Structure formats: C-alpha cells, structure tokens
Amino acid sequence: MLRSNNSTSPLCSFGSPWPDLNDGLFYNDVVSTSSDSGLTLIHFYSSKYKNSAPLQGWLQRIHNGQITIDGEVVKEPKAILRDGMELVYHRLPWREPDAPYLLQVLYEDDDMIALNKPPGLQVLPGGLFQQRTVLMQLQWRASKGSSSLAIQGSHPVPVHRLGRGTSGILLCAKTKVAKTSLAAYFADGTSLIGDSSNANMEKSKTRKISKVYRALVNGILNQDKIIIKQPIGTMRYPGVAKGLYVASPSGKPALSKVEVLERDSQLNQTLVQVEIESGRPHQIRIHLSFIGHPLLGDPLYDVGGQPRCFDSEHEDESFAEDGGYERPAKPVPGDCGYYLHAHQLVLSHPHPSKNEVIKITAPLPSILRTQAETEELM
C-alpha cells in the first residue's frame, strides 16, 4: 500500500516564539581517574574543554563563580581536585542568534512526523544554538498535549539531520521504537555504499529510505546525469572542534546521483536534482563543489570540495563576554545562504507499525522550481 502526502493541500504549522534568553546549561563532571585527581581546577577545565574556551576564558568563568565543587562555589583557579569530587559548570543564559520557529507538518501518524524545516533553523542543539532548534519545538509541542505527540511513551526526536541552511523534509520519530527502526533504515543506506559485493548491490536496489534534493549550483553542468563517488573525511579547521567535513581520498564512501533539470546560461547557474544513497554530513554541498559546481551562495565550500579559506596555524585566543571563543571570522558549516531543499522522501520498507510505503513531498521554494513548474502553479 502506498500513502502519499499532497503537497498542494494546505499544510498545518506549529511553533512557539523563542524567549529572548535561553536557560543556560549545566555541565557535570566527576573526578574519577588518577590522571584528574591532583590537577588544579583551571588545568582540568582548560585542558579537558579547550574547545569550549581559551585559558583566560576559563579563568573568567571561575572568577565569576560559575563552577561548583560538591555544591560549593569555588573561585580559586588553583584549587586541587580529589577523586570523587563532583564538578558543575554553569553556562549562563544567552541570546541565541535569530532563527525561524514555525514548522510545517507534511505527514503525521502515531509513530512519526515529517516536517518542512525552514532554512536557518538548526535541527539539534550545538554551539550557540541550544534552544532554538527543531528538537525544542517538538518537545514543547509534546508537552502542550495538543497533538498525537502527547501520546503515552512519546519520544519526539529527529532521526537524521539537515544542515542549518538546508530546507525541506525532516523525518522525526515519536516513540523510542520508531526511532530505533527509522534510524536503522538511514544507517543501512549509508553502510551499503563502498561495498561492491553482489549481495550489497542487490540490497542497494531496495533501499529502505530514498531522499531526493533540489539544489541550485554555480556554472553550467554539461552532462545531464552525473554519479559522484567521492569519499568524505575531515580536516582541522578553526571554529569546528571535531573537524570540517571535506572531499578526502582517505574519507568514508559516499554516493550522489545528480540530474540536471534546467540550465540558465544567462545567470550561469544550473538547477539540479540530487539523490543521495549515503548520508555523510554536508554530502551534497561537498560533492557538487568537488565536481566544480558549488551551491550558489555557499559561503564555505569551494571547487574541489574544500573550504574557501583556510589557515590551520592560526588560533584565536580572544574570548567573548561569556568566556567562550569569539565567533569564527571564517565561514563555518552552519552558515546559510545556499539553496538546497530536501524535496522528496520515500520510506519503501514497511512503515514501523504499518505495512505501507510512505512518500512525502515538501513544496519547493520558488527559486528551486523549473520554469514549467512555476507556470503550472500560476
């Protein structure tokens, strides 16, 4: 049985405006290893959490009384830590960068909900965005009890990611059972890439989830169809603690199928459809830039699937008002400006609790429609 949402029908939306300040965060640690016992408080934090703040930033946080030991505020950076001590760092509330909050519901049942994520909204907490996320809006909606998200055992959570600047379909599980099933479907598709065995070749033909994107790229693609198999790995990059994902021969396998929909020689840009058979971070941005056609407006990735500007030797020790690092001067993955939209998703494996195939379509932004699609809407 096939069930499909109707992209031309009115879509319901939900979302609560963001408060001016978030609630701050509490980070808990227990001194439990011989290597930590005997360290000073400042040494512990400036070495273990060096990606959070420079040395002077951690000194400021300690002097501000933002760290407690066994429930008592400690302002002495040279306080000696002993085995079993409980440490708590309180990151003070801050105003997160502007972000949209309204989310369209494309499809919903008792197990899952598919959302149309707007560009500029982060999916999960990270960096400066700890509250202004899709996850928080889902949790707020569930707590209000205004929908089936409030059913007993509800566990609303996205099961995959979209870049902050990417719009379109975001699939979310509403129960722990559904989360396990859906997350496994996404992982299965990625694990098949790079294995050329006959068994896996057959499995790849019946992938449980397929995803189709629209993108607008710089330049004119000469070929109508292109298959990109460039591996994706990481490199050191300022402002990205775990490393920046880039095209790398030593990276993990990734596969994208690109099809040209429309060429605009006057504006020197091409509208493409991309089906990804793996789910590496920023895969489409990296793959299209790797073949010489970065996404139009992408501030980060340039030809070759590498960052536009890079200086690995420079480390900025200046810190912001809260003691953390200043926002990087160079572009980072969360920066927006490009045109990429998760347009269609097909769940071809039986639904987590129903024997049916689900096809979901997210309405296209006007800039990502073909001329024929625009005329049809008019």
Side-chain angles (χ1 to χ4, degrees):
M1 178 181 176
L2 172 66
R3 185 189 296 190
S4 176
N5 73 320
N6 184 352
S7 61
T8 61
S9 61
L11 300 173
C12 66
S13 299
F14 70 92
S16 300
W18 307 115
D20 189 48
L21 298 177
N22 62 24
D23 298 327
L25 291 170
F26 290 89
Y27 297 87
N28 299 277
D29 285 284
V30 176
V31 180
S32 57
T33 64
S34 57
S35 59
D36 291 339
S37 182
L39 294 180
T40 62
L41 186 62
I42 184 61
H43 188 181
F44 176 84
Y45 277 103
S46 63
S47 58
K48 186 172 184 178
Y49 296 108
K50 60 184 177 181
N51 289 324
S52 170
L55 175 65
Q56 293 301 317
W58 278 114
L59 283 171
Q60 174 180 293
R61 291 169 172 178
I62 294 171
H63 291 145
N64 284 348
Q66 293 175 241
I67 295 175
T68 62
I69 300 180
D70 293 335
E72 299 291 330
V73 173
V74 175
K75 296 186 178 183
E76 174 49 61
K78 296 183 179 179
I80 302 298
L81 303 183
R82 300 300 178 200
D83 190 53
M85 284 182 168
E86 296 183 0
L87 310 179
V88 179
Y89 157 57
H90 179 204
R91 186 177 179 182
L92 301 175
W94 72 94
R95 189 184 191 284
E96 299 182 14
D98 292 339
Y101 64 87
L102 286 176
L103 291 159
Q104 290 181 321
V105 178
L106 299 170
Y107 173 87
E108 184 173 16
D109 59 31
D110 290 342
D111 296 287
M112 63 185 191
I113 178 171
L115 305 174
N116 188 12
K117 186 189 85 68
L121 179 60
Q122 190 154 303
V123 174
L124 298 174
L128 292 175
F129 294 93
Q130 294 295 323
Q131 187 175 65
R132 299 185 179 191
T133 64
V134 172
L135 177 61
M136 184 58 69
Q137 290 292 347
L138 283 170
Q139 292 175 344
W140 285 346
R141 186 183 188 225
S143 66
K144 291 176 182 176
S146 59
S147 72
S148 59
L149 278 179
I151 63 174
Q152 188 174 6
S154 176
H155 184 73
V157 61
V159 293
H160 64 111
R161 296 191 187 216
L162 291 180
R164 190 165 74 88
T166 305
S167 59
I169 302 168
L170 180 69
L171 197 60
C172 307
K174 293 164 64 175
T175 67
K176 290 183 178 179
V177 172
K179 177 189 175 184
T180 300
S181 297
L182 293 171
Y185 296 169
F186 278 97
D188 283 349
T190 298
S191 66
L192 294 174
I193 305 302
D195 189 336
S196 58
S197 66
N198 290 334
N200 269 4
M201 291 289 282
E202 288 302 313
K203 285 183 182 179
S204 67
K205 295 177 183 178
T206 56
R207 284 176 296 121
K208 297 169 183 176
I209 288 183
S210 62
K211 299 166 285 183
V212 176
Y213 292 72
R214 284 285 179 97
L216 190 61
V217 303
N218 281 297
I220 303 298
L221 275 73
N222 295 321
Q223 296 174 266
D224 291 337
K225 294 184 179 181
I226 306 171
I227 294 179
I228 308 170
K229 296 182 178 180
Q230 172 61 35
I232 293 175
T234 59
M235 65 181 291
R236 288 186 60 192
Y237 186 83
V240 184
K242 296 181 179 180
L244 177 69
Y245 286 93
V246 294
S248 169
S250 60
K252 294 181 179 180
L255 190 149
S256 302
K257 296 179 178 179
V258 182
E259 181 178 350
V260 171
L261 299 178
E262 205 166 71
R263 297 177 176 91
D264 189 332
S265 55
Q266 186 174 358
L267 294 177
N268 192 35
Q269 60 192 34
T270 305
L271 180 64
V272 297
Q273 173 176 290
V274 186
E275 182 178 2
I276 58 173
E277 295 197 3
S278 53
R280 306 299 177 198
H282 315 298
Q283 176 174 320
I284 294 176
R285 297 169 67 187
I286 294 169
H287 271 181
L288 287 169
S289 63
F290 175 75
I291 64 170
H293 297 277
L295 268 63
L296 187 68
D298 193 331
L300 177 60
Y301 291 106
D302 205 353
V303 172
Q306 303 297 315
R308 292 183 180 276
C309 50
F310 176 61
D311 179 6
S312 62
E313 302 303 318
H314 177 68
E315 291 190 10
D316 187 0
E317 289 293 315
S318 62
F319 57 94
E321 186 177 349
D322 72 342
Y325 287 106
E326 295 279 7
R327 189 197 182 286
K330 295 181 174 63
V332 292
D335 291 345
C336 305
Y338 54 89
Y339 299 98
L340 179 61
H341 182 74
H343 180 40
Q344 291 182 330
L345 183 147
V346 177
L347 180 59
S348 55
H349 190 274
H351 180 284
S353 66
K354 301 180 181 69
N355 186 25
E356 59 187 13
V357 173
I358 306 293
K359 181 178 180 180
I360 301 165
T361 302
L364 290 164
S366 58
I367 196 168
L368 295 179
R369 297 183 195 132
T370 64
Q371 186 174 348
E373 288 167 337
T374 300
E375 291 172 355
E376 184 180 345
L377 284 174
M378 294 175 64

